[in-house]
Amino acid sequence: MNILGSLRHIFHRYTKKGENSYVMSSGNKNSRWWKEGILYQIYPQSFKDSNGDGFGDLNGVIDKLDYLESLGITIVWMNPFYESPLIDNGYDVSDYRAILPRFGKMQDFEKMIKGMHKRGIKFVMDLVVNHSSEEHPWFKEAKKSRESPFYDYYHWWPAENGQPPYRHSLFDPNGAWEYVDTVNAYYLHTFTKHQPDLNWENPKLRKEIFDIMKFWANKGVDGYRLDAFQFVSKDITWPNFPEGHEKEYVKWYGMRPQLHGYLNEMYNEVLSKYDVFAVAEGTGNSFEDAHNLVDESRNELQMAYHFETINLSSTLARYSLFDFKQAFTKWDQSFTEEGWLAIFLANHDNARLVDRFGNPSERFRTVSTQLLNTFLMSMRGTPYLYYGDELGMTNIDMPHISDYDDIEAHGRYQAALKANADMNEFMNTLNYNSRENGRTPMQWDSSDHAGFTFGTPWKKVNPNYLNINVALQKKDPKSVLNHFRKMTRVRKTNLVLVYGKYDLLLPNHEQVYAFTRQMNDTKMLILLNFSEGEVLIELDELTGLSSKNCVINNYDDINIVSGSTTLQPYQATILKML
């Protein structure tokens, strides 16, 4: 980089948002690059293996930078690649400033992020700071003595006070306290016993975290996804919770008032000093909770990431399109004036998009995945797309508990046994909704192991890779992949789909999700048939329109006659009205 380029880089990294925000072409004073972005999530150990050890790595991502650019995405979020014993696939960090050798070296990270920035792609770091690994030096020191300066980096219950009050663990059926003999005390762990919770009530701990964020921002990181962050503040008076409270987990464990003070401190110390954004996993119990996290006047976070819609598909029972529409509509209405939303239907903690919200059958997999990607990229909010969903990758059959690597799956299995559950029913549900379905290796081509590795993959490749892969779909103009690329172009060239007003049409229709987006003199009509049958609809908004108004369509044509049209199975089309 020449001297002028270096100065520009330094200016970009250190300029406060209020002084030189990245204002996009909409001319909207509230424009931000992260609002107009299209985010693509990579699960790094499943994306591309460059060295044959069976695990995806940073050099594998580097090898596929041109592919990422070709998708039209503008932001990449990657799951953790820090130093870690990998008890929870990297969400147990033992060194926040080091990269696990399995993924590569710091030089590889620097090369990767430089390559992304060269291609106009921002990078979002997964920040895991509700807890650390038990192998982190902080915890190793904390276990040695109550006099250790690191003892108060964690939450402890002295054993001389008797048994600690029950706290539920999301991964451990035995609860969230674990005894340590050397200090004669129990430590708290929201997840596995290998992931002790950090004590955010301690200002020294908070300073450590903010310094870590600055470390990565200075290396070019453009944003942070804060893992499990709504749980970081604990009531350290440790009151007894009522029996069965864990059924309302967020109510009892999340969104304590102190959280906002911590986020305001984070904003002042880090977020306001770089052109970055931060989004926390979860938004609490209400719209008020969500707005208190992300409204610009709060000086806390920049984007809300809620789970209401994704939770609609957590069981084998088919979700209701009415509930789906109502959930997205009420969240949009709540954020019309202030705040910003993430729009997503898939991530590393859920099964595959098309299995849960579309139709994975051979007949309808392509069109239903195209419909879902059209929906995600036509809503107000920043769309989050998950690797493999640009191909329509599907769930993999895992009928036996021995098929699962994930510690969460085994924890759920043990809890079901303890509760004397119907284990056949449990396994059927697990096979459908396990997050391992969303972690199978990326399907690049029809060679061995789908071109993911020339070694033995860490996780079994879905056998359908012979029919679902990048190489095949690149050649097919009607593929999920090429439709995805068209849709990213549509979103980037029509800012009405980013900032425009959203209005729901046909709210009670059981098969069709129809809505408009309008900004100034531009108006779009989005029609989505969420069923496997033809559906006739009549809308005043269709009057005067024809196939010439079509902006994108996953079928060859749309026939509009006298304000009505018949949508084909899983047809998704966007029409320009004004």
Side-chain angles (χ1 to χ4, degrees), residues 38-44 46-47 67 71 73 77-79 91 305 343-353 356 369 373 376 383-393 435-440 442 458 484:
I38 301 171
L39 185 147
Y40 181 85
Q41 182 188 352
I42 291 175
Y43 196 70
S46 294
F47 193 65
Y67 172 77
L71 293 177
I73 56 94
W77 156 31
M78 284 178 63
N79 296 93
Y91 283 91
Y305 189 97
I343 302 294
F344 73 106
L345 289 172
N347 62 22
H348 63 290
D349 280 331
N350 290 276
R352 278 290 170 185
L353 173 82
R356 290 175 18 257
T369 308
N373 286 332
L376 288 165
Y384 283 50
L385 298 315
Y386 189 58
Y387 87 96
D389 286 342
E390 76 273 27
L391 307 176
M393 282 177 59
R435 61 186 189 174
E436 285 198 60
N437 284 299
R439 301 178 178 187
T440 57
M442 179 67 172
W458 78 277
F484 184 99

Side-chain angles (χ1 to χ4, degrees), residues 53-73:
D53 67 355
F55 295 88
D57 47 49
L58 300 182
N59 277 313
V61 176
I62 292 169
D63 290 344
K64 296 298 182 180
L65 286 175
D66 288 342
Y67 172 77
L68 295 176
E69 183 181 20
S70 78
L71 293 177
I73 56 94

Side-chain angles (χ1 to χ4, degrees), residues 145-165:
S145 167
R146 293 189 189 182
E147 302 304 315
S148 167
F150 296 99
Y151 182 80
D152 287 334
Y153 276 34
Y154 297 88
H155 290 286
W156 297 92
W157 177 272
E160 63 266 23
N161 293 343
Q163 288 291 316

Side-chain angles (χ1 to χ4, degrees), residues 39 79 89 104-105 229 272 332 336 400 449 516 564:
L39 185 147
N79 296 93
N89 290 291
K105 301 176 181 179
F229 203 79
S272 65
D332 181 272
T336 299
H400 308 293
H449 311 307
T516 59
S564 67

Side-chain angles (χ1 to χ4, degrees), residues 132-156 178-188 193-197:
S132 74
S133 166
E134 64 181 342
E135 296 299 319
H136 196 288
W138 297 340
F139 192 67
K140 288 183 175 180
E141 290 298 316
K143 289 194 302 181
K144 292 180 179 179
S145 167
R146 293 189 189 182
E147 302 304 315
S148 167
F150 296 99
Y151 182 80
D152 287 334
Y153 276 34
Y154 297 88
H155 290 286
W156 297 92
E178 190 74 15
Y179 180 72
V180 176
D181 181 68
T182 51
V183 289
N184 191 33
Y186 300 84
Y187 67 85
L188 185 74
K193 66 180 181 180
H194 307 288
Q195 296 164 288
D197 280 25

